[in-house]
Amino acid sequence: MKLILLGAPGAGKGTQADILCDKLDIPTISTGNILRAAVKNGTPTGLKAKAFMDEGKLVPDEVIIGIISERLAEADCAKGYILDGVPRTIAQAEALERAGILFDSVVSLEVSDEEICSRMSGRRVCENCGASYHVVAVPPKTEGVCDKCGGNLIQRKDDAPETVKSRLEVYHKETEPLKAFYAERGLLKTVENQPTVEAISQAILRVLGR
């Protein structure tokens, strides 16, 4: 199964992608994690991306599509994958189609801007592996420590309140139109916000017929 998860920044795409990865036995391809790894390692692509990411802006399409194409060609993606964080624009979606990267379903997580702002203030990520947590909804077993690798949990610059508002504006302008794009192709499935992470996972699996 080849999936895209859509939703505003902070809608829970990364958390749900991790859960679906285990349930469906396919890898999650998180553009953010790939890019952050490149930034941390100081690669040419990482240095290009860093300036955009620090300001909450979109990374240029040619950087995104190149990274994704290389990643999807790896053996673990042969049975399917979940794309988290891409495409962000109609242009990227069209570029993925031209590259022969097609999907079975596109799931949109519907969360209000108010809820997003509340969530982002509590979000923490591992500076080593990129795993995502929330101080209330998805806390680590030990405060400030990643369950997966023992790395230090930090609040990213792009989770600061001013940056979140800017990112939401960009989402509504650039990314939200993808819902209509994929609805026209008969691929869009929407999942309304639920009280718990588990309830959202169950709702996603229901719309996927699992």
Side-chain angles (χ1 to χ4, degrees):
M1 181 175 282
K2 299 173 182 178
L3 302 176
I4 295 174
L5 289 183
L6 289 181
K13 299 184 297 296
T15 298
Q16 293 301 327
D18 286 345
I19 294 169
L20 291 171
C21 174
D22 291 336
K23 298 275 188 186
L24 302 175
D25 193 28
I26 53 178
T28 297
I29 311 302
S30 169
T31 314
N33 287 350
I34 293 172
L35 287 172
R36 278 189 286 277
V39 168
K40 186 177 179 182
N41 294 332
T43 67
T45 302
L47 293 175
K48 279 187 198 173
K50 187 176 188 306
F52 292 92
M53 292 169 68
D54 283 349
E55 296 178 21
K57 294 181 180 177
L58 300 175
V59 177
D61 290 354
E62 63 269 18
V63 178
I64 295 287
I65 303 304
I67 288 173
I68 291 297
S69 295
E70 289 174 6
R71 180 66 184 85
L72 298 186
E74 295 181 17
D76 65 335
C77 293
K79 293 192 295 183
Y81 44 80
I82 303 164
L83 273 195
D84 166 24
V86 78
R88 290 179 185 263
T89 63
I90 298 291
Q92 287 182 0
E94 292 172 341
L96 288 170
E97 288 187 348
R98 287 195 299 273
I101 300 170
L102 304 175
F103 305 94
D104 299 312
S105 294
V106 177
V107 177
S108 177
L109 304 179
E110 304 291 327
V111 184
S112 71
D113 285 6
E114 293 77 13
E115 174 70 13
I116 293 291
C117 290
S118 172
R119 285 186 187 183
M120 297 290 259
S121 65
R123 188 158 79 164
R124 302 292 183 270
V125 295
C126 176
E127 61 182 356
N128 285 341
C129 73
S132 185
Y133 298 87
H134 190 280
V135 293
V136 176
V138 191
K141 292 174 184 174
T142 303
E143 185 177 348
V145 180
C146 178
D147 294 347
K148 296 183 179 180
C149 74
N152 187 40
L153 300 185
I154 59 171
Q155 183 177 45
R156 297 200 328 242
K157 289 180 183 176
D158 54 3
D159 287 342
E162 313 77 44
T163 313
V164 170
K165 289 178 184 175
S166 172
R167 293 174 71 203
L168 283 170
E169 288 174 9
V170 171
Y171 167 76
H172 291 305
K173 181 181 177 184
E174 302 283 350
T175 305
E176 202 160 29
L178 285 169
K179 292 196 284 187
F181 179 88
Y182 285 115
E184 288 175 2
R185 287 155 175 74
L187 298 176
L188 184 71
K189 303 177 192 302
T190 58
V191 172
E192 296 298 327
N193 192 28
Q194 304 291 325
T196 65
V197 169
E198 293 77 14
I200 295 170
S201 301
Q202 291 167 7
I204 293 172
L205 290 169
R206 276 198 301 276
V207 300
L208 293 176
R210 295 301 178 108

